[in-house]
Amino acid sequence: MRGLSLSEVREREDKGQTNRVREKSSRSLAHIIRANVFNRFNALLGALAIVVLVFDSPRDALFGLVLVFNTLIGIVQEWRAKRTLDRLSILTAPLARVVRDGVVREIPREEIVLDDLIEVGPGDQILVDGSVVASEGLEVDESLLTGESVPVPKEPGAGVWSGSFVSGGRGRFRATAVGEEVYAQKLASQARRFTLVSSELRKASDTILRYITWIMVPVASVFVASQLLTHFSLREAVISSVAGLVGMVPEGLILLTSLVFAVSAAALARRNVLVQELPAVEGLARVDVVCLDKTGTLTEGTLFLQEVRYLGDERWTRDALGALIRTLPDRNATLSALLEAFPHAEGWELASVVPFSSERKWSAVEFQGRGTWVLGAPEILLAKACEAGGEGARELSAEVEELARRGLRVLMLARTDERLREGGDLPRDLRPMALLSFVEKIRTDTPRTLAYFREQGVGIKVISGDNPLTVADVALRVGVPGAEEPVDARGLPTTREEMAAVLEERSVFGRVVPEQKREMVLALQGRGHVVAMTGDGVNDTLALKEADLGIAMGSGAPSTKAVAQLVLLDGKFSTLPRVVAEGRRVMANMERVANLFLTKTVYVALLALVISLARWPFPLLPRHITLVGSLTIGIPAFILSFTPSRRRYRPGLLRRVMLFSLPAGVIATSATFTAVAMAHSNRIPDGEVRTTAVIVLTCVGLAVLAHLSRPIFTWKGGLTAVMGGAFTGILFLPWFGNFFQLFLPSLPVLVQALGIAAVHVLLLELAVRYVGRRGEKGLTPASDD
């Protein structure tokens, strides 16, 4: 076999039939920048910041910094994700050995052309798809592509696929597909389609901003017109208008969400968890089904010797195994497992050896003066067993079948006095000496991690390309519910609805191809499940991409790590409960924070509307909005967003937030408007009217904070008290009073203001309890436990 000539190679290069691939993701840097700069949030805040700067009040435009920070965080995170996807490469071997003009040459994989003759040996990666033309015991490990952990023998005419590895033997194959047409590249191309992880917090924030935009247009029209009519100065009218409009935008919520995600990503990184998309930290808090690959996820991808049944002299057999495995030239997973179990034996001198062949399914070593020892598939060796042991051979065959049904991999060691024959024929008169049973090595942390998911009510689905019985055996050992009834995926329905029905009932699936894994994820999502998918092989890539949360093992294929939102860098399955805890902390705390920020949006919008209808000047300056927001929302929200929480996530975040913030915002508006009306009736100066409004609004805001910080007799209650003390200090210290333009009213007006605040605090408690009973039990968190 001379392979292609140099002229044939050039001809194919001219036609573009090479293995060069143009790596490209769907989003350019310009697209990422546009998406993060030109959005509804930036448009709202950016326009208002420009207006304030035009009227020469830079201190009142500090809210614009939120816009800058939030935009930068979004751009950096998405650019990191893009770079990871662009570097996606399933094929990692840099060089290939090709035969051209009868000479074996090493060339970069990009220079392989169609019809090239490629030579491979143990450990080599298959770089392109092809058809085998010569095989010397060639076996290929396709587990990264199919999930099947058993190496596949390849004879002439058999197909080989890019992304697999040679586990034994040697051979040559002709390239039948290169570049974009190879199987692994097609998977990678689909994986590189850019998608952001689903985030309920992000969706809720976008929905809130959309509603606010719709509400702001009519409210702003009435409000701005009213302020222009009630103020003598255009500058004062504009600043008052901006104060009301900025207060309607929950800018701190958007920024704090990004910051919390970033801090959580850093915390997980310290636990060897790489977060590739910030919102992924909330993902596992919402997941109710986890789909697990077997090889490399539940197991380490290696074998260990579970049991040896000695059929002859045990000591002699152990010594023979120790000598045999150190003599054979093969180094596959099975022999590696035996190497750990049997020590080296002295005095066994090699006479002859027959290496393992997938065609023969056995290997043998003849030792001088100690006979010939054969290790191989039991069904092959038993067929040659001596006639005297025929009955025993049949009994052993039944035992081997039973072990196989239990998902074990079985080898037999046999002995004969006959010498090894030339040509590698199996010796006769074999006497069985031992049955060796192997199982895949389970990750030590897998059982307790799955037990955690069961306790949390998370469904577990094991989806593997391996034999269903083998998958079921592993699943039983790690405690997967329903593992007694495995399903062969080759018989699964093709429609998603019918497939989903089977998935709801069963837990363990074998012989699953990559496209089926993706369809299974989509079928579960169609039933309303939030699905996490873990995996380490190329065959898991598409499913990881479609899942609500993709989790890759750090030792897995580059493609899985590139498309996953989370990567367990140390490959420890036990890290997942910590990720769940981090997600729950984020979701529980951000729900509390969202209640605070949206309450502010509601009361500022309503206050702007009722003040406009009353034709009064807006009672709050931008700095007053900043002061009240900082003490009752901003500072507490930042601290509360990082507190521990073990609350399980419940769907419906936006609904719960709206049910709380609407009545709370209405009551805060009523309290402030009533206080302003009282102050106007007492004919006090405008400065004291504003101070009265600030005092009442702060009192109600602190009551909202106290309600969301329960249990109150903890450090959270202390946080509310500290914020109240800070406000009191600002109110009575002259420097702060002058900076914020706060002027204490007379004692009678102050007492009336505190009375108004007290009545509305009581109304707040009654309203929230009523809405909680009518809407959803446990509307707001009473405890983080």
Side-chain angles (χ1 to χ4, degrees):
M1 292 181 287
R2 294 184 56 82
L4 298 178
S5 66
L6 294 180
S7 61
E8 289 172 326
V9 171
R10 283 194 293 270
E11 179 183 345
R12 284 160 175 76
E13 289 175 343
D14 293 339
K15 292 179 179 180
Q17 296 173 333
T18 69
N19 200 41
R20 289 187 177 86
V21 178
R22 184 182 179 186
E23 306 288 349
K24 178 182 177 182
S25 69
S26 60
R27 281 163 67 95
S28 64
L29 177 59
H31 188 283
I32 292 173
I33 293 174
R34 283 197 302 270
N36 281 277
V37 172
F38 301 105
N39 54 46
R40 184 179 288 108
F41 172 74
N42 287 356
L44 288 173
L45 284 190
L48 294 174
I50 291 172
V51 169
V52 171
L53 291 173
V54 167
F55 282 88
D56 196 27
S57 185
R59 284 185 298 176
D60 290 318
L62 293 177
F63 60 84
L65 293 177
V66 173
L67 179 153
V68 176
F69 292 142
N70 193 64
T71 300
L72 288 176
I73 291 173
I75 290 174
V76 170
Q77 182 60 25
E78 291 191 31
W79 173 241
R80 284 184 62 227
K82 170 190 163 55
R83 290 183 61 195
T84 302
L85 293 176
D86 286 348
R87 288 196 300 265
L88 170 58
S89 177
I90 293 173
L91 310 178
T92 57
L95 297 174
R97 294 191 303 277
V98 299
V99 182
R100 292 177 178 173
D101 287 326
V103 178
V104 178
R105 310 166 185 265
E106 280 197 346
I107 62 171
R109 67 182 184 206
E110 295 83 3
E111 295 181 10
I112 298 173
V113 300
L114 192 66
D115 297 323
D116 249 331
L117 189 61
I118 302 168
E119 184 177 271
V120 290
D124 288 342
Q125 188 176 26
I126 306 296
L127 299 175
V128 295
D129 298 348
S131 177
V132 176
V133 297
S135 172
E136 298 177 11
L138 181 63
E139 287 191 337
V140 176
D141 180 353
E142 298 179 344
S143 60
L144 285 178
L145 296 175
T146 66
E148 170 65 67
S149 58
V150 179
V152 181
K154 297 293 182 179
E155 300 300 332
V160 291
W161 314 104
S162 57
S164 55
F165 289 84
V166 176
S167 59
R170 295 186 173 276
R172 291 180 176 182
F173 70 92
R174 193 171 302 280
T176 58
V178 294
E180 299 282 358
E181 298 303 313
V182 303
Y183 179 69
Q185 187 59 42
K186 289 178 179 178
L187 289 179
S189 297
Q190 295 181 59
R192 277 195 299 270
R193 288 180 291 127
F194 185 91
T195 57
L196 283 174
V197 64
S198 174
S199 166
E200 187 164 353
L201 279 174
R202 185 167 54 200
K203 289 178 181 176
S205 299
D206 290 343
T207 302
I208 289 170
L209 284 176
R210 185 166 63 252
Y211 290 161
I212 290 172
T213 303
W214 293 342
I215 294 170
M216 279 183 68
V217 173
V219 172
S221 301
V222 175
F223 178 59
V224 172
S226 169
Q227 295 307 295
L228 290 173
L229 292 174
T230 56
H231 283 279
F232 295 106
S233 165
L234 176 62
R235 182 179 181 278
E236 290 180 358
V238 169
I239 297 301
S240 293
S241 299
V242 170
L245 296 177
V246 169
M248 298 180 201
V249 182
E251 74 279 2
L253 175 62
I254 310 298
L255 176 60
L256 193 56
T257 300
S258 297
L259 287 175
V260 168
F261 282 159
V263 171
S264 295
L268 290 172
R270 290 193 292 272
R271 300 180 185 274
N272 289 314
V273 178
L274 172 64
V275 180
Q276 305 210 88
E277 295 179 33
L278 289 181
V281 297
E282 77 170 71
L284 268 176
R286 300 188 292 112
V287 163
D288 61 359
V289 174
V290 176
C291 296
L292 306 167
D293 182 42
K294 176 184 71 69
T295 306
T297 304
L298 298 181
T299 68
E300 295 180 359
T302 58
L303 296 175
F304 77 90
L305 181 64
Q306 185 186 53
E307 182 182 358
V308 180
R309 187 186 166 206
Y310 293 100
L311 306 171
D313 182 272
E314 179 176 342
R315 181 176 179 181
W316 198 26
T317 302
R318 291 180 62 85
D319 288 347
L321 279 167
L324 182 142
I325 59 181
R326 287 167 175 80
T327 304
L328 289 172
D330 312 291
R331 274 298 166 263
N332 52 35
T334 305
L335 290 183
S336 296
L338 290 173
L339 199 63
E340 296 179 7
F342 296 98
H344 177 67
E346 300 290 343
W348 292 70
E349 296 184 18
L350 174 67
S352 181
V353 63
V354 175
F356 178 81
S357 163
S358 58
E359 182 179 358
R360 290 189 296 264
K361 297 188 182 303
W362 57 269
S363 56
V365 178
E366 180 187 343
F367 296 102
Q368 292 182 7
R370 297 178 183 266
T372 297
W373 296 78
V374 184
L375 182 67
E379 62 272 19
I380 303 296
L381 304 191
L382 286 173
K384 283 278 187 177
C386 61
E387 292 182 3
E391 186 65 31
R394 283 191 290 272
E395 292 176 358
L396 283 175
S397 295
E399 185 176 344
V400 168
E401 290 178 8
E402 176 59 28
L403 291 171
R405 276 195 292 271
R406 287 166 47 193
L408 300 177
R409 192 172 300 169
V410 185
L411 288 180
M412 176 176 282
L413 179 69
R415 181 188 178 280
T416 180
D417 291 325
E418 183 179 335
R419 302 193 65 179
L420 282 177
R421 304 177 187 178
E422 293 184 8
D425 293 333
L426 185 65
R428 294 170 298 186
D429 297 332
L430 291 174
R431 295 189 295 278
M433 300 298 290
L435 284 178
L436 302 99
S437 303
F438 300 84
V439 292
E440 289 190 78
K441 190 173 290 186
I442 301 292
R443 290 181 181 271
T444 57
D445 52 359
T446 298
R448 64 175 179 271
T449 302
L450 295 186
Y452 171 84
F453 282 125
R454 291 197 304 273
E455 293 168 2
Q456 300 300 316
V458 177
I460 300 171
K461 308 293 178 185
V462 181
I463 302 174
S464 174
D466 218 334
N467 185 295
L469 292 175
T470 304
V471 181
D473 175 71
V474 172
L476 280 169
R477 285 190 283 143
V478 298
V480 176
E484 303 84 1
E485 300 180 82
V487 177
D488 191 324
R490 291 173 294 188
L492 280 176
T494 55
T495 64
R496 284 183 187 171
E497 187 57 35
E498 293 176 341
M499 183 183 287
V502 178
L503 287 164
E504 293 280 12
E505 296 176 1
R506 302 294 185 88
S507 301
V508 177
F509 301 84
R511 302 297 187 199
V512 186
V513 298
E515 290 76 12
Q516 272 185 313
K517 287 192 176 187
R518 175 173 60 179
E519 288 300 312
M520 293 168 86
V521 168
L522 294 172
L524 287 168
Q525 291 172 330
R527 285 291 184 100
H529 291 292
V530 180
V531 182
M533 176 74 197
T534 70
D536 71 332
V538 176
N539 62 310
D540 303 314
T541 301
L542 298 181
L544 286 168
K545 188 69 176 178
E546 296 295 344
D548 296 283
L549 187 68
I551 307 168
M553 295 297 173
S555 58
S559 62
T560 62
K561 290 182 283 189
V563 302
Q565 286 83 37
L566 298 178
V567 180
L568 306 183
L569 296 176
D570 55 6
K572 291 184 178 178
F573 207 44
S574 57
T575 308
L576 286 183
R578 298 174 182 174
V579 179
V580 173
E582 187 66 23
R584 289 183 173 176
R585 184 192 66 75
V586 168
M587 292 299 287
N589 293 332
M590 291 310 298
E591 182 172 336
R592 180 187 289 115
V593 167
N595 282 323
L596 289 171
F597 279 104
L598 198 57
T599 297
K600 173 195 163 193
T601 295
V602 172
Y603 71 63
V604 172
L606 289 178
L607 187 61
L609 185 60
V610 296
I611 288 293
S612 300
L613 296 177
R615 295 191 176 183
W616 291 339
F618 192 65
L620 302 171
L621 296 174
R623 65 195 64 187
H624 296 151
I625 295 287
T626 301
L627 174 63
V628 176
S630 297
L631 294 179
T632 64
I633 300 171
I635 297 173
F638 182 79
I639 296 172
L640 291 173
S641 65
F642 296 103
T643 58
S645 176
R646 295 192 298 272
R647 277 203 311 135
R648 291 185 60 181
Y649 172 76
R650 293 171 295 135
L653 178 145
L654 182 59
R655 177 176 178 269
R656 291 194 298 274
V657 170
M658 297 295 288
L659 282 173
F660 178 86
S661 58
L662 285 175
V666 168
I667 290 171
T669 302
S670 173
T672 308
F673 183 80
T674 303
V676 172
M678 179 272 296
H680 280 305
S681 68
N682 282 280
R683 300 183 181 279
I684 61 177
D686 288 344
E688 294 182 17
V689 172
R690 293 193 182 101
T691 305
T692 303
V694 170
I695 291 172
V696 172
L697 184 57
T698 302
C699 289
V700 178
L702 290 173
V704 172
L705 174 62
H707 182 87
L708 294 172
S709 300
R710 294 182 177 180
I712 199 68
F713 295 109
T714 63
W715 69 267
K716 296 175 188 172
L719 175 64
T720 305
V722 169
M723 295 298 103
F727 176 71
T728 303
I730 290 172
L731 200 60
F732 286 96
L733 291 175
W735 187 89
F736 288 106
N738 290 331
F739 180 84
F740 287 105
Q741 294 187 19
L742 296 175
F743 308 99
L744 281 174
S746 62
L747 184 60
V749 173
L750 185 59
V751 171
Q752 292 179 67
L754 294 176
I756 292 170
V759 170
H760 283 84
V761 167
L762 178 60
L763 287 175
L764 173 70
E765 185 65 25
L766 295 174
V768 172
R769 289 188 180 184
Y770 175 78
V771 172
R773 287 196 301 269
R774 293 292 299 271
E776 181 178 348
K777 187 177 181 181
L779 178 65
T780 54
S783 172
D784 288 322
D785 297 332

